[in-house]
Amino acid sequence: MALVTGKGICGGALISSKWVVTAAHCYEVSQQVILGVHSQTKKDKAWQIRKVKMRVPHPCYDNQTKVNDIMLLKLDKAVKENKNVSFLPLPESGKHIQAGTNCHIAGWGLVRNGDMKGSDVLMEANVTVIDWRKCNSEEYYNLNPVITVDMLCAGSVDNKVRRDSCKGDSGGPLICNGEFRAVTSFGSKCGLLKKPGVYTLVSQKYIQWIKKVTRGDA
């Protein structure tokens, strides 16, 4: 898990020693990446701090429709893997994820609606994948915006327990069955049962784009 900082914070996934995947809407935030972070305020010797050498948002990213909300960050120096820092390799297949699948999210974003700032420590939660057609239905996002097949909805399916990503978690990875499968993109407030978090699915087209941009550059 990478902490992407600048004008605010975002999350990110370290996919190799020099490349981080995050959300395209985190462009202005993406000035520096810190690896090995648990608490933002307690600087640790385990931290590896890198400047962002190059930002590569998806060429077809649209801020209005939220499509193609994915970006690559090239770091100025290689990151070393250790007990505090590990790579999240791309999935072997970009196939869709079945509704009902339990996935895992993490980030330093807001813990609840109304908070003025995000969490100091890395927070984690389990969320459930919701069928994209249901997510587009009138009682959910009502096609505003359209949830495409390259997006994924995930949140709570139980009214008693509300788990969700929130502001500041953008760009962080969604892990399903041990694989990096999606990038935190957007939502409507946080923890609303019928407004689950929406993620950019790391689909086959994005896997191919990432490989083309990175060209095997570890």
Side-chain angles (χ1 to χ4, degrees):
M1 182 77 188
L3 175 62
V4 180
T5 66
K7 297 176 182 178
I9 64 165
C10 278
L14 181 71
I15 58 168
S16 69
S17 63
K18 285 188 179 177
W19 290 95
V20 168
V21 175
T22 187
H25 77 265
C26 291
Y27 190 91
E28 294 300 326
V29 172
S30 307
Q31 298 170 19
Q32 171 178 275
V33 173
I34 310 175
L35 289 308
V37 182
H38 176 66
S39 165
Q40 292 188 64
T41 56
K42 293 180 181 176
K43 192 169 182 180
D44 193 288
K45 290 179 181 178
W47 286 16
Q48 295 185 52
I49 303 173
R50 299 291 184 269
K51 290 181 181 178
V52 174
K53 183 179 179 181
M54 182 169 64
R55 294 175 285 190
V56 189
H58 193 279
C60 298
Y61 167 58
D62 188 314
N63 186 46
Q64 297 301 312
T65 62
K66 316 295 185 186
V67 297
N68 304 308
D69 189 12
I70 188 168
M71 176 169 64
L72 283 161
L73 304 177
K74 187 172 186 180
L75 308 180
D76 65 338
K77 289 193 303 181
V79 172
K80 295 176 182 176
E81 246 188 320
N82 56 36
K83 66 177 183 178
N84 297 303
V85 177
S86 58
F87 301 155
L88 267 179
L90 295 172
E92 291 184 13
S93 166
K95 65 183 180 182
H96 209 76
I97 305 168
Q98 286 191 333
T101 301
N102 290 319
C103 300
H104 185 78
I105 53 171
W108 293 269
L110 302 184
V111 176
R112 59 187 66 83
N113 290 314
D115 283 356
M116 298 303 291
K117 63 179 183 177
S119 172
D120 174 51
V121 297
L122 183 65
M123 302 291 285
E124 302 180 35
N126 292 319
V127 290
T128 304
V129 174
I130 296 161
D131 186 273
W132 65 274
R133 287 161 295 198
K134 184 176 184 178
C135 213
N136 271 318
S137 69
E138 191 173 341
E139 59 179 335
Y140 279 70
Y141 277 98
N142 195 26
L143 302 176
N144 183 28
V146 174
I147 310 302
T148 73
V149 292
D150 288 312
M151 296 177 184
L152 181 148
C153 285
S156 298
V157 291
D158 183 346
N159 205 24
K160 295 176 184 176
V161 181
R162 303 292 182 88
R163 296 189 177 99
D164 197 6
S165 51
C166 203
K167 186 177 180 182
D169 292 327
S170 294
L174 179 82
I175 309 296
C176 305
N177 300 318
E179 275 193 321
F180 169 36
R181 293 307 317 274
V183 176
T184 306
S185 180
F186 69 93
S188 178
K189 296 187 177 180
C190 314
L192 301 182
L193 191 65
K194 294 185 178 178
K195 290 289 187 290
V198 183
Y199 301 77
T200 302
L201 181 69
V202 183
S203 59
Q204 203 60 43
K205 77 171 188 178
Y206 295 132
I207 293 172
Q208 291 170 349
W209 171 73
I210 290 167
K211 287 180 176 177
K212 182 180 178 182
V213 172
T214 59
R215 292 177 182 172
D217 178 12

